[in-house]
PDB file of all heavy atoms in Angstrom:
ATOM      1  N   TYR A 109      -1.460  21.324  25.973  1.00 97.00           N
ATOM      2  CA  TYR A 109      -1.348  20.951  24.563  1.00 97.00           C
ATOM      3  C   TYR A 109      -1.480  19.432  24.419  1.00 97.00           C
ATOM      4  O   TYR A 109      -1.140  18.680  25.324  1.00 97.00           O
ATOM      5  CB  TYR A 109       0.003  21.377  23.986  1.00 97.00           C
ATOM      6  CG  TYR A 109       0.297  22.852  24.075  1.00 97.00           C
ATOM      7  CD1 TYR A 109       0.984  23.382  25.177  1.00 97.00           C
ATOM      8  CD2 TYR A 109      -0.088  23.724  23.067  1.00 97.00           C
ATOM      9  CE1 TYR A 109       1.274  24.734  25.256  1.00 97.00           C
ATOM     10  CE2 TYR A 109       0.192  25.083  23.138  1.00 97.00           C
ATOM     11  CZ  TYR A 109       0.870  25.580  24.242  1.00 97.00           C
ATOM     12  OH  TYR A 109       1.152  26.925  24.325  1.00 97.00           O
ATOM     13  N   VAL A 117       0.722  20.299  17.586  1.00 96.00           N
ATOM     14  CA  VAL A 117      -0.073  20.178  18.798  1.00 96.00           C
ATOM     15  C   VAL A 117      -1.339  21.010  18.685  1.00 96.00           C
ATOM     16  O   VAL A 117      -1.412  21.978  17.920  1.00 96.00           O
ATOM     17  CB  VAL A 117       0.714  20.612  20.056  1.00 96.00           C
ATOM     18  CG1 VAL A 117       1.858  19.661  20.342  1.00 96.00           C
ATOM     19  CG2 VAL A 117       1.216  22.050  19.936  1.00 96.00           C
ATOM     20  N   VAL A 131      -2.007  34.062  25.862  1.00 92.00           N
ATOM     21  CA  VAL A 131      -1.237  34.258  24.631  1.00 92.00           C
ATOM     22  C   VAL A 131      -0.749  32.889  24.157  1.00 92.00           C
ATOM     23  O   VAL A 131       0.071  32.247  24.820  1.00 92.00           O
ATOM     24  CB  VAL A 131      -0.041  35.197  24.853  1.00 92.00           C
ATOM     25  CG1 VAL A 131       0.747  35.357  23.548  1.00 92.00           C
ATOM     26  CG2 VAL A 131      -0.509  36.549  25.366  1.00 92.00           C
ATOM     27  N   ILE A 132      -1.264  32.435  23.030  1.00 95.00           N
ATOM     28  CA  ILE A 132      -0.904  31.129  22.488  1.00 95.00           C
ATOM     29  C   ILE A 132       0.232  31.312  21.481  1.00 95.00           C
ATOM     30  O   ILE A 132       0.066  32.046  20.496  1.00 95.00           O
ATOM     31  CB  ILE A 132      -2.113  30.455  21.808  1.00 95.00           C
ATOM     32  CG1 ILE A 132      -3.245  30.277  22.825  1.00 95.00           C
ATOM     33  CG2 ILE A 132      -1.710  29.108  21.222  1.00 95.00           C
ATOM     34  CD1 ILE A 132      -4.534  29.800  22.205  1.00 95.00           C
ATOM     35  N   PRO A 133       1.372  30.672  21.693  1.00 96.00           N
ATOM     36  CA  PRO A 133       2.497  30.841  20.759  1.00 96.00           C
ATOM     37  C   PRO A 133       2.281  30.029  19.484  1.00 96.00           C
ATOM     38  O   PRO A 133       1.477  29.099  19.440  1.00 96.00           O
ATOM     39  CB  PRO A 133       3.681  30.296  21.560  1.00 96.00           C
ATOM     40  CG  PRO A 133       3.068  29.240  22.429  1.00 96.00           C
ATOM     41  CD  PRO A 133       1.698  29.754  22.797  1.00 96.00           C
ATOM     42  N   SER A 134       3.003  30.380  18.442  1.00 96.00           N
ATOM     43  CA  SER A 134       2.929  29.608  17.198  1.00 96.00           C
ATOM     44  C   SER A 134       3.713  28.312  17.304  1.00 96.00           C
ATOM     45  O   SER A 134       3.428  27.337  16.594  1.00 96.00           O
ATOM     46  CB  SER A 134       3.448  30.438  16.023  1.00 96.00           C
ATOM     47  OG  SER A 134       4.785  30.840  16.259  1.00 96.00           O
ATOM     48  N   GLN A 135       4.716  28.272  18.216  1.00 97.00           N
ATOM     49  CA  GLN A 135       5.475  27.060  18.489  1.00 97.00           C
ATOM     50  C   GLN A 135       5.663  26.928  19.992  1.00 97.00           C
ATOM     51  O   GLN A 135       5.711  27.926  20.709  1.00 97.00           O
ATOM     52  CB  GLN A 135       6.850  27.092  17.810  1.00 97.00           C
ATOM     53  CG  GLN A 135       6.824  26.989  16.301  1.00 97.00           C
ATOM     54  CD  GLN A 135       8.226  26.891  15.717  1.00 97.00           C
ATOM     55  OE1 GLN A 135       9.164  27.510  16.206  1.00 97.00           O
ATOM     56  NE2 GLN A 135       8.370  26.093  14.659  1.00 97.00           N
ATOM     57  N   VAL A 136       5.765  25.686  20.446  1.00 97.00           N
ATOM     58  CA  VAL A 136       6.000  25.437  21.867  1.00 97.00           C
ATOM     59  C   VAL A 136       7.042  24.331  21.998  1.00 97.00           C
ATOM     60  O   VAL A 136       7.052  23.368  21.207  1.00 97.00           O
ATOM     61  CB  VAL A 136       4.687  25.046  22.583  1.00 97.00           C
ATOM     62  CG1 VAL A 136       4.098  23.763  22.013  1.00 97.00           C
ATOM     63  CG2 VAL A 136       4.898  24.923  24.079  1.00 97.00           C
ATOM     64  N   THR A 142      10.280  20.673  19.768  1.00 95.00           N
ATOM     65  CA  THR A 142       9.513  21.856  19.387  1.00 95.00           C
ATOM     66  C   THR A 142       8.352  21.446  18.484  1.00 95.00           C
ATOM     67  O   THR A 142       8.542  20.695  17.520  1.00 95.00           O
ATOM     68  CB  THR A 142      10.410  22.879  18.676  1.00 95.00           C
ATOM     69  OG1 THR A 142      11.447  23.289  19.568  1.00 95.00           O
ATOM     70  CG2 THR A 142       9.615  24.107  18.269  1.00 95.00           C
ATOM     71  N   TYR A 143       7.166  21.953  18.808  1.00 96.00           N
ATOM     72  CA  TYR A 143       5.957  21.595  18.087  1.00 96.00           C
ATOM     73  C   TYR A 143       5.287  22.848  17.521  1.00 96.00           C
ATOM     74  O   TYR A 143       5.272  23.906  18.169  1.00 96.00           O
ATOM     75  CB  TYR A 143       4.963  20.890  19.017  1.00 96.00           C
ATOM     76  CG  TYR A 143       5.497  19.671  19.719  1.00 96.00           C
ATOM     77  CD1 TYR A 143       6.107  19.775  20.968  1.00 96.00           C
ATOM     78  CD2 TYR A 143       5.399  18.411  19.134  1.00 96.00           C
ATOM     79  CE1 TYR A 143       6.601  18.657  21.622  1.00 96.00           C
ATOM     80  CE2 TYR A 143       5.886  17.287  19.782  1.00 96.00           C
ATOM     81  CZ  TYR A 143       6.488  17.412  21.022  1.00 96.00           C
ATOM     82  OH  TYR A 143       6.979  16.313  21.669  1.00 96.00           O
ATOM     83  N   ASN A 144       4.705  22.722  16.332  1.00 96.00           N
ATOM     84  CA  ASN A 144       3.881  23.788  15.766  1.00 96.00           C
ATOM     85  C   ASN A 144       2.475  23.701  16.357  1.00 96.00           C
ATOM     86  O   ASN A 144       1.894  22.615  16.445  1.00 96.00           O
ATOM     87  CB  ASN A 144       3.805  23.672  14.246  1.00 96.00           C
ATOM     88  CG  ASN A 144       5.137  23.930  13.574  1.00 96.00           C
ATOM     89  OD1 ASN A 144       5.895  24.803  14.003  1.00 96.00           O
ATOM     90  ND2 ASN A 144       5.442  23.167  12.537  1.00 96.00           N
ATOM     91  N   VAL A 145       1.925  24.846  16.752  1.00 96.00           N
ATOM     92  CA  VAL A 145       0.562  24.906  17.292  1.00 96.00           C
ATOM     93  C   VAL A 145      -0.382  25.176  16.119  1.00 96.00           C
ATOM     94  O   VAL A 145      -0.382  26.265  15.547  1.00 96.00           O
ATOM     95  CB  VAL A 145       0.432  26.005  18.353  1.00 96.00           C
ATOM     96  CG1 VAL A 145      -0.980  26.015  18.931  1.00 96.00           C
ATOM     97  CG2 VAL A 145       1.453  25.799  19.470  1.00 96.00           C
ATOM     98  N   THR A 146      -1.185  24.177  15.747  1.00 94.00           N
ATOM     99  CA  THR A 146      -1.980  24.287  14.522  1.00 94.00           C
ATOM    100  C   THR A 146      -3.490  24.295  14.742  1.00 94.00           C
ATOM    101  O   THR A 146      -4.235  24.565  13.807  1.00 94.00           O
ATOM    102  CB  THR A 146      -1.643  23.136  13.554  1.00 94.00           C
ATOM    103  OG1 THR A 146      -1.900  21.887  14.208  1.00 94.00           O
ATOM    104  CG2 THR A 146      -0.186  23.191  13.137  1.00 94.00           C
ATOM    105  N   LEU A 164      -4.506  34.444  19.377  1.00 93.00           N
ATOM    106  CA  LEU A 164      -4.329  33.232  18.588  1.00 93.00           C
ATOM    107  C   LEU A 164      -3.151  33.428  17.631  1.00 93.00           C
ATOM    108  O   LEU A 164      -3.016  34.486  17.020  1.00 93.00           O
ATOM    109  CB  LEU A 164      -5.602  32.924  17.796  1.00 93.00           C
ATOM    110  CG  LEU A 164      -6.862  32.690  18.641  1.00 93.00           C
ATOM    111  CD1 LEU A 164      -8.083  32.606  17.736  1.00 93.00           C
ATOM    112  CD2 LEU A 164      -6.725  31.430  19.471  1.00 93.00           C
ATOM    113  N   PRO A 165      -2.318  32.407  17.452  1.00 94.00           N
ATOM    114  CA  PRO A 165      -1.080  32.589  16.671  1.00 94.00           C
ATOM    115  C   PRO A 165      -1.269  32.379  15.174  1.00 94.00           C
ATOM    116  O   PRO A 165      -2.129  31.607  14.738  1.00 94.00           O
ATOM    117  CB  PRO A 165      -0.174  31.500  17.239  1.00 94.00           C
ATOM    118  CG  PRO A 165      -1.130  30.394  17.564  1.00 94.00           C
ATOM    119  CD  PRO A 165      -2.379  31.066  18.064  1.00 94.00           C
ATOM    120  N   GLU A 166      -0.443  33.066  14.378  1.00 94.00           N
ATOM    121  CA  GLU A 166      -0.320  32.705  12.979  1.00 94.00           C
ATOM    122  C   GLU A 166       0.224  31.281  12.911  1.00 94.00           C
ATOM    123  O   GLU A 166       1.071  30.889  13.707  1.00 94.00           O
ATOM    124  CB  GLU A 166       0.607  33.664  12.241  1.00 94.00           C
ATOM    125  CG  GLU A 166      -0.023  34.999  11.888  1.00 94.00           C
ATOM    126  CD  GLU A 166      -1.163  34.882  10.887  1.00 94.00           C
ATOM    127  OE1 GLU A 166      -1.224  33.880  10.137  1.00 94.00           O
ATOM    128  OE2 GLU A 166      -2.016  35.793  10.866  1.00 94.00           O
ATOM    129  N   GLY A 167      -0.255  30.520  11.966  1.00 93.00           N
ATOM    130  CA  GLY A 167       0.086  29.102  11.881  1.00 93.00           C
ATOM    131  C   GLY A 167      -1.074  28.221  12.295  1.00 93.00           C
ATOM    132  O   GLY A 167      -1.135  27.052  11.943  1.00 93.00           O
ATOM    133  N   LEU A 168      -2.027  28.815  13.042  1.00 92.00           N
ATOM    134  CA  LEU A 168      -3.241  28.080  13.403  1.00 92.00           C
ATOM    135  C   LEU A 168      -4.033  27.790  12.128  1.00 92.00           C
ATOM    136  O   LEU A 168      -4.166  28.653  11.261  1.00 92.00           O
ATOM    137  CB  LEU A 168      -4.074  28.939  14.356  1.00 92.00           C
ATOM    138  CG  LEU A 168      -5.043  28.236  15.308  1.00 92.00           C
ATOM    139  CD1 LEU A 168      -4.279  27.424  16.326  1.00 92.00           C
ATOM    140  CD2 LEU A 168      -5.931  29.270  16.004  1.00 92.00           C
TER     141      LEU A 168
END
Side-chain angles (χ1 to χ4, degrees):
Y109 302 92
V117 293
V131 179
I132 301 172
S134 58
Q135 290 186 324
V136 62
T142 299
Y143 304 91
N144 293 322
V145 182
T146 58
L164 300 171
E166 282 295 338
L168 205 67

